[in-house]
C-alpha cells in the first residue's frame, strides 16, 4: 500500500527522521513523507509518529477530465475494507488547475461511485473523525483519493486537559525537539512553557512513550482491522519505555499557566519527570542545557516590549549557562536578532496561522558565541 505521512510544511524533515527510526524508508515531498507498507506500518506510524498530522492511505489515483470519467474510475477503487453501512463518511475535496473544479460536485460523484461499488448509500458524517474520512485531491486533472487512517489529527494526544493563551500544537513542539537533535541526556529547559506542551513532549520522547498510546484511530473500525497485530505492536511499545534521569523544566511568569502545565503533565503520565515553576528567567545551577521554547510574539505584546523580552532571553542564556543550545520560534527577524546577531534559521512554518521561523543559538562561555555549522 502507498501511504503518506502528512506533515506541517517546513517540518517534513522531522517526520522523515521519525520514519527512519521505525525502519521505514520514505521520500520527502512538500507537505509530508511518502512511504509504503501494510497494516503493520499503518499501526506503527499512527502509534509512534510525534510530528505528523495524519497518516493517509493512497487508495487510488487516475486522470479525469469529466464527471462520467470520474465516476467510472472511482468505482474501480478498493472501497470495501474502509466503508461499511455502519460507518458514516466525510469527504473533503480540493481542486487545483483541473477541468473538474467544483468541489461539491466532485464530492457528489465520489459518493455515487462508492454507492455503485458497494451497493449501499453511505451515511454522511459532519466531522472527519466520526467514521471514515476520504480526502480527494485534484491536481492538473489527476485525481488522488486517500483514506484517512488516523481519524482525529495526530496532535490530539489526549493529555491537553487545561489550556492557556496561544498554545503550541503537540506535533510542532515535538518537531522542534527532534530538529534540535536533543540527546536526552542534557538538561532540558523551556522558560516560556505556557501549558507545558514542549516539556511534556520532551518527556514523552525521552521516556520513549508513544504519543498515540491512549487514543483511538480510524483504522480500528475497518473491516480488515487486525486486533491481534495491534495488541502485539502496543505491547512491544510498552516494553520499550525508559526511565528518565535527565532534568526537564518548564517556567512561566503566569501562575495559571504553571497550574495548567502541571495538570497536562499528569494527564500525559509524565508529571514525575517534569518540574514546572512560576518564574521569569530563573538562575539555575546547570552548566550545560538545551533550551527549546515558544516565546511571545508581537501579536500578544507591544513590539518594543517584546524586543526587550528577547534581549533578556539572550542575556539569561549567556549569564546562566557555561554551554547552551537554544531553539526558539518567532515571527520577526528583529526579535531573533535581539537574542543575538549570531542566531541561525533552521526552517520556517506556520504556527496558529502565523508564519514563524525556528532559530538556533549556540553559546559556550569559554568560546563565546559559537559559529553555526550547517544544519
Amino acid at each position: 500500500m502507498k501511504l503518506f505521512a502528512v506533515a506541517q510544511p517546513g517540518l517534513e524533515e522531522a517526520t522523515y527522521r521519525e520514519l527512519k527510526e521505525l525502519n521505514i524508508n520514505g521520500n520527502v515531498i512538500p507537505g509530508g513523507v511518502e512511504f509504503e507498507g501494510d497494516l503493520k506500518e499503518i499501526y506503527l506510524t499512527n502509534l509512534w509518529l510525534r510530528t505528523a498530522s495524519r497518516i493517509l492511505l493512497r487508495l487510488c489515483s487516475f486522470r479525469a477530465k469529466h464527471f462520467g470519467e470520474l465516476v467510472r474510475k472511482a468505482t474501480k477503487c478498493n472501497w470495501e475494507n474502509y466503508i461499511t453501512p455502519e460507518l458514516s463518511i466525510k469527504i473533503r475535496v480540493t481542486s487545483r488547475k483541473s477541468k473538474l473544479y467544483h468541489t461539491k460536485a466532485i464530492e457528489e460523484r465520489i459518493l455515487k461511485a462508492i454507492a455503485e461499488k458497494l451497493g449501499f448509500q453511505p451515511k454522511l458524517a459532519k466531522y472527519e473523525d466520526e467514521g471514515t474520512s476520504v480526502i480527494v485531491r485534484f491536481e492538473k486533472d489527476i485525481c488522488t483519493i486517500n483514506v484517512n487512517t488516523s481519524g482525529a489529527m495526530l496532535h490530539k494526544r489526549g493529555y491537553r486537559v487545561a489550556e492557556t493563551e496561544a498554545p503550541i500544537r503537540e506535533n510542532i513542539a515535538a518537531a522542534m525537539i527532534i530538529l534540535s537533535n536533543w540527546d536526552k541526556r542534557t538538561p532540558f529547559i523551556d522558560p516560556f512553557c505556557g501549558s507545558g506542551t514542549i516539556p511534556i513532549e520532551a518527556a514523552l520522547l525521552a521516556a520513549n512513550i508513544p504519543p498515540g498510546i491512549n487514543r483511538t484511530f480510524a483504522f480500528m473500525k475497518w473491516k480488515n482491522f487486525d486486533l491481534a497485530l495491534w495488541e502485539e505492536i502496543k505491547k512491544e511499545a510498552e516494553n520499550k519505555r525508559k526511565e528518565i534521569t535527565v532534568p526537564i523544566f518548564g517556567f512561566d511568569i503566569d501562575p495559571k499557566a504553571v497550574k495548567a502545565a502541571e495538570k497536562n503533565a499528569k494527564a500525559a503520565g509524565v508529571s514525575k519527570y517534569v518540574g514546572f515553576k512560576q518564574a521569569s528567567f530563573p538562575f539555575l545551577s546547570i552548566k550545560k542545557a538545551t533550551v527549546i521554547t515558544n516565546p511571545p510574539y508581537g501579536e500578544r505584546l507591544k513590539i518594543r516590549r517584546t524586543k526587550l523580552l528577547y534581549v533578556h532571553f539572550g542575556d539569561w542564556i549567556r549569564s546562566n549557562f557555561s554551554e547552551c543550545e537554544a531553539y526558539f520560534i518567532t515571527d520577526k527577524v528583529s526579535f531573533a536578532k535581539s537574542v543575538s546577531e549570531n542566531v541561525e534559521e533552521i526552517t520556517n512554518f506556520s504556527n496558529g496561522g502565523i508564519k514563524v521561523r525556528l532559530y538556533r543559538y549556540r553559546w559556550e562561555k569559554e568560546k563565546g558565541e559559537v559559529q553555526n555549522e550547517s544544519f
Side-chain angles (χ1 to χ4, degrees), residues 85-259:
E86 297 78 27
L87 280 178
S88 55
I89 180 173
K90 173 69 176 178
I91 298 177
R92 178 159 56 87
V93 180
T94 59
S95 181
R96 183 173 175 268
K97 296 182 179 180
S98 300
K99 289 191 175 180
L100 298 180
Y101 59 87
H102 194 290
T103 56
K104 186 64 179 176
I106 293 170
E107 178 187 337
E108 290 170 355
R109 291 340 187 266
I110 295 294
L111 281 168
K112 182 179 179 182
I114 293 170
E116 288 185 10
K117 179 67 177 282
L118 301 182
F120 63 86
Q121 192 68 39
K123 297 183 292 183
L124 298 182
K126 189 175 182 180
Y127 303 105
E128 289 189 31
D129 56 351
E130 285 182 34
T132 297
S133 168
V134 176
I135 299 170
V136 181
R137 184 186 182 198
F138 263 93
E139 180 81 22
K140 296 179 181 179
D141 298 321
I142 299 296
C143 175
T144 303
I145 299 177
N146 304 281
V147 175
N148 174 11
T149 75
S150 307
M153 293 181 72
L154 292 178
H155 77 270
K156 296 181 177 180
R157 322 277 206 230
Y159 68 71
R160 186 173 279 176
V161 295
E163 296 279 10
T164 57
E165 186 181 359
I168 191 170
R169 277 190 174 180
E170 295 87 331
N171 59 323
I172 294 178
M176 291 172 65
I177 298 165
I178 288 169
L179 292 175
S180 79
N181 294 313
W182 178 49
D183 60 11
K184 304 171 194 170
R185 296 188 300 272
T186 304
F188 185 102
I189 301 162
D190 180 358
F192 303 98
C193 73
S195 59
T197 305
I198 294 175
I200 290 169
E201 288 295 320
L204 290 171
L205 183 65
N208 213 31
I209 299 173
I213 195 68
N214 293 320
R215 57 163 282 172
T216 58
F217 300 97
F219 63 72
M220 295 176 175
K221 300 174 184 176
W222 293 353
K223 273 186 178 180
N224 61 348
F225 176 51
D226 188 336
L227 179 60
L229 176 60
W230 174 237
E231 292 295 338
E232 179 187 338
I233 287 172
K234 283 204 302 178
K235 186 177 180 180
E236 288 177 0
E238 293 284 359
N239 291 334
K240 291 179 179 178
R241 290 199 183 202
K242 300 174 181 177
E243 282 297 315
I244 300 178
T245 56
V246 64
I248 300 174
F249 297 120
F251 301 101
D252 202 283
I253 198 170
D254 183 359
K256 292 181 181 178
V258 173
K259 287 182 180 178

Side-chain angles (χ1 to χ4, degrees), residues 44 50 106 161 191 209 211 215 251 273 281 320 343 355:
L44 277 172
R50 304 173 192 278
I106 293 170
V161 295
I209 299 173
R215 57 163 282 172
F251 301 101
Y273 301 132
F281 300 131
N320 207 63
V343 294
K355 184 178 179 181

